[in-house]
Amino acid sequence: MLTVAVDNPTLPAGWAAEPKWDGYRAQLALHTDGRVLLRSRQGTDMTGSFPEIRAAALAQLPADTGLDGVM
């Protein structure tokens, strides 16, 4: 889901919102063979730009894990 700018911060009943912080939206995949892939929303491989995230994924996540988030 992408953020959308609005003119009025009032939300309809039952809705929730959070601030949009600058960052990268990315998907992380840790494959069974140990490969780690960190991709942008457009599919750009960003793995080499974030070696600390690659190392943390290898150290802390089980194989065949996929994550989506903002960093």
Side-chain angles (χ1 to χ4, degrees):
M1 178 181 294
L2 300 176
T3 59
V4 178
V6 296
D7 294 328
N8 184 337
T10 304
L11 295 172
W15 284 51
E18 61 185 33
K20 164 66 172 94
W21 305 109
D22 287 338
Y24 296 102
R25 177 85 187 227
Q27 293 178 334
L28 181 131
L30 175 57
H31 298 271
T32 310
D33 62 5
R35 288 181 300 124
V36 176
L37 181 59
L38 185 65
R39 287 190 192 190
S40 72
R41 193 168 50 89
Q42 288 83 20
T44 303
D45 183 352
M46 302 188 311
T47 313
S49 298
F50 297 94
E52 69 282 6
I53 293 176
R54 181 184 182 280
L58 288 169
Q60 299 177 39
L61 297 175
D64 281 342
T65 297
L67 300 174
D68 175 51
V70 178
M71 50 184 199

